[in-house]
Amino acid sequence: MGRSCPAVHVDHRHTAGRVQSYLSFNCNSAIGLLGNFPDTVRRAAAYLEGNSWKPTLVAPGVYQLPS
């Protein structure tokens, strides 16, 4: 389990100009670095959980990359 950090930074939506929540510095930075894209965060979590994102062999010599 991850360690807990104090939520001391205000997270806001730049496009809406409103406060969303309070986060730790590390969490706020990580979300920003991941581009605020939920799918990117899900892929990062899957990687950390050991679910690799390897290409799938669909025909001899033909691989499909994960979407």
Side-chain angles (χ1 to χ4, degrees), residues 34 39-49 53:
L34 291 170
D39 190 52
T40 303
V41 175
R42 281 189 283 274
R43 289 195 319 260
Y47 170 79
L48 291 174
E49 292 169 344
W53 290 86

Side-chain angles (χ1 to χ4, degrees), residues 15-62:
T15 54
R18 65 179 174 82
V19 171
Q20 180 166 328
S21 183
Y22 295 96
L23 296 171
S24 71
F25 174 79
N26 289 342
C27 289
N28 194 28
S29 297
I31 290 170
L33 290 171
L34 291 170
N36 292 321
F37 298 112
D39 190 52
T40 303
V41 175
R42 281 189 283 274
R43 289 195 319 260
Y47 170 79
L48 291 174
E49 292 169 344
N51 304 323
S52 11
W53 290 86
K54 296 180 182 175
T56 305
L57 181 65
V58 293
V62 179

